[in-house]
């Protein structure tokens, strides 16, 4: 395993091969299995991939992050297609279909929180303002008694 890589060319063929290896390494992406939490196992797999692709573990992690980001960007584009456009749910990016296995484990951040109503937002705003005013009052009182 090398510390630095100066010739990291990821053509479509190499990227496709990497995605296949990544898919066959669920400990790196499937947060629903116990092996996902085993950092030693994950690090060993990352080192194995780094050796296979003649690069560093840092570069493998970066490749994974970039692929996942590109996949989610393409997924948003596919979901955003207007109803008048083609009914195809396939992305234009060559690796989109290869990475659809991530859909089983990825939960978009927007679905993690529940949508709040205007009334809830107003109540939260009131609580925050009350808290800030309380702090300001305490600071004011402490400056008075110090004088």
């Amino acid at each position: 395993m090398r510390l630095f890589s100066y010739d990291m060319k990821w053509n479509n063929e190499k990227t496709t091969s990497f995605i296949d290896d990544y898919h066959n390494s669920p400990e790196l992406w499937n947060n629903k299995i116990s092996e996902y939490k085993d950092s030693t196992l994950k690090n060993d797999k990352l080192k194995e991939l780094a050796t296979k692709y003649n690069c560093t573990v840092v570069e493998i992690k970066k490749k994974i992050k970039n692929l996942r980001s590109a996949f989610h960007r393409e997924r948003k584009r596919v979901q955003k297609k207007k109803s008048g456009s083609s009914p195809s749910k396939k992305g234009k990016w060559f690796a989109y279909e290869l990475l659809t296995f991530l859909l089983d484990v990825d939960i978009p951040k927007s679905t993690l929180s529940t949508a709040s109503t205007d009334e809830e937002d107003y109540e939260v705003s009131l609580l925050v303002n009350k808290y800030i005013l309380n702090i300001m009052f305490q600071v004011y009182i402490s400056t008075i008694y110090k004088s």
Side-chain angles (χ1 to χ4, degrees):
M1 185 176 64
R2 298 168 29 199
L3 292 177
F4 297 101
S5 172
Y6 298 103
D7 187 25
M8 273 303 296
K9 293 184 179 171
W10 288 90
N11 58 27
N12 288 0
E13 184 180 333
K14 187 175 181 180
T15 300
T16 300
S17 174
F18 178 77
I19 291 170
D20 188 47
D21 288 336
Y22 181 58
H23 186 205
N24 291 324
S25 306
E27 64 272 19
L28 296 177
W29 59 267
N30 190 347
N31 57 13
K32 295 178 180 178
I33 62 172
S34 60
E35 292 86 352
Y36 179 80
K37 295 178 182 176
D38 186 343
S39 59
T40 304
L41 181 65
K42 287 168 73 170
N43 286 330
D44 289 346
K45 181 50 86 170
L46 289 169
K47 288 176 188 174
E48 181 184 317
L49 290 172
T51 301
K52 180 176 181 177
Y53 290 95
N54 197 27
C55 60
T56 66
V57 169
V58 171
E59 289 167 324
I60 290 295
K61 287 180 177 181
K62 184 177 178 182
K63 185 65 177 172
I64 290 170
K65 182 180 179 197
N66 289 342
L67 285 170
R68 290 175 73 106
S69 295
F71 172 73
H72 289 295
R73 251 191 325 274
E74 186 68 16
R75 182 165 182 251
K76 284 181 183 178
R77 277 190 212 119
V78 168
Q79 290 176 331
K80 221 180 206 183
K81 282 186 177 180
K82 295 180 181 172
S83 58
S85 65
S86 72
S88 172
K89 286 285 188 183
K90 293 185 179 181
K92 292 179 182 177
W93 180 48
F94 81 97
Y96 179 75
E97 291 297 318
L98 298 171
L99 289 165
T100 54
F101 65 91
L102 295 173
L103 294 174
D104 294 334
V105 293
D106 283 350
I107 300 171
K109 290 178 184 174
S110 62
T111 61
L112 292 178
S113 63
T114 57
S116 60
T117 63
D118 290 339
E119 188 175 317
E120 290 171 334
D121 289 343
Y122 178 73
E123 289 176 18
V124 169
S125 177
L126 285 177
L127 288 173
V128 169
N129 287 340
K130 184 178 178 181
Y131 178 74
I132 291 170
L133 285 172
N134 189 15
I135 291 173
M136 290 172 61
F137 180 73
Q138 290 175 5
V139 169
Y140 174 75
I141 294 297
S142 66
T143 57
I144 290 176
Y145 285 112
K146 286 183 180 178
S147 312

